[in-house]
Amino acid sequence: MRISEHWSELDEALHHEILETSYLHDKALYRRLNQEMAKGLRKRPKQLLELPRKERHQGYQPLLAMPIYAILTQNLCINWLGKNRTSLLVDFLDALGISHDGNGCAEQFPGEVKDSALKKAMTSVVKKHGENAAIFYLRIFPDISGIDWDSYDKVLEEVTSHA
């Protein structure tokens, strides 16, 4: 999974925002996060919960970059996107002409997208939503959507090298 690979590239503010979203909006996911991190850090979950959240989240970052936590990391990212970054999802899918439910959830994706349309959509969301969040979303999009577009990585590399 690529999400875990990209997790280590997150800046501290975006990392904290993603985890804070789960803390605020999905207590069950946040509880699972703490339990898994406690195992990885060889501590009791209660010990971790006694730390200030920002400090606690900093300690989680290296673990969440490990492939063993890829599913958990994916769930954290999907929760963050659905709660905090819906407009990013909607704008990207709209720019590609992909129908969705109005909240950025698409039932079906085309088998392939033209490079020019993909580049225009990627450039548009990076410009509108800021580099950190938009580029992270674009990097994890294949994992969370299940798409396998041949030129996706090449076009993304082109767009991010100019960002």
Side-chain angles (χ1 to χ4, degrees):
M1 288 208 152
R2 296 176 352 168
I3 287 180
S4 55
E5 295 170 18
H6 298 300
W7 192 265
S8 62
E9 300 168 5
L10 282 177
D11 69 13
E12 189 177 317
L14 188 56
H15 167 79
H16 181 67
E17 178 185 324
I18 293 169
L19 299 184
E20 191 71 7
T21 300
S22 291
Y23 175 82
L24 296 172
H25 300 288
D26 192 335
K27 297 295 183 189
L29 178 58
Y30 197 79
R31 204 171 18 260
R32 182 171 160 233
L33 167 69
N34 280 315
Q35 289 169 346
E36 293 298 320
M37 297 298 96
K39 287 179 201 172
L41 294 168
R42 299 176 193 252
K43 295 185 181 236
R44 293 188 324 274
K46 186 176 176 165
Q47 283 179 291
L48 296 177
L49 292 174
E50 291 171 352
L51 296 171
R53 278 197 314 275
K54 198 161 191 151
E55 184 180 328
R56 182 183 332 147
H57 293 168
Q58 287 172 337
Y60 294 175
Q61 187 160 5
L63 287 177
L64 289 169
M66 298 170 71
I68 193 170
Y69 297 112
I71 300 296
L72 177 59
T73 304
Q74 182 172 352
N75 287 331
L76 291 165
C77 291
I78 290 169
N79 183 58
W80 164 69
L81 288 164
K83 301 291 183 195
N84 281 13
R85 301 295 177 140
T86 306
S87 61
L88 172 59
L89 303 173
V90 168
D91 289 345
F92 186 60
L93 295 177
D94 283 349
L96 291 172
I98 297 172
S99 60
H100 55 86
D101 66 356
N103 292 316
C105 293
E107 291 285 324
Q108 225 173 332
F109 292 95
E112 202 58 53
V113 173
K114 290 184 180 179
D115 289 5
S116 58
L118 193 53
K119 184 174 183 176
K120 183 177 178 184
M122 287 178 173
T123 303
S124 170
V125 296
V126 168
K127 183 180 274 188
K128 182 175 180 180
H129 296 277
E131 286 183 26
N132 285 340
I135 290 174
F136 180 67
Y137 165 66
L138 292 172
R139 286 185 175 144
I140 66 173
F141 178 73
D143 291 328
I144 62 176
S145 66
I147 61 106
D148 189 21
W149 299 333
D150 289 337
S151 60
Y152 188 88
D153 290 332
K154 179 185 73 121
V155 173
L156 179 58
E157 180 61 36
E158 233 178 88
V159 169
T160 57
S161 70
H162 294 103

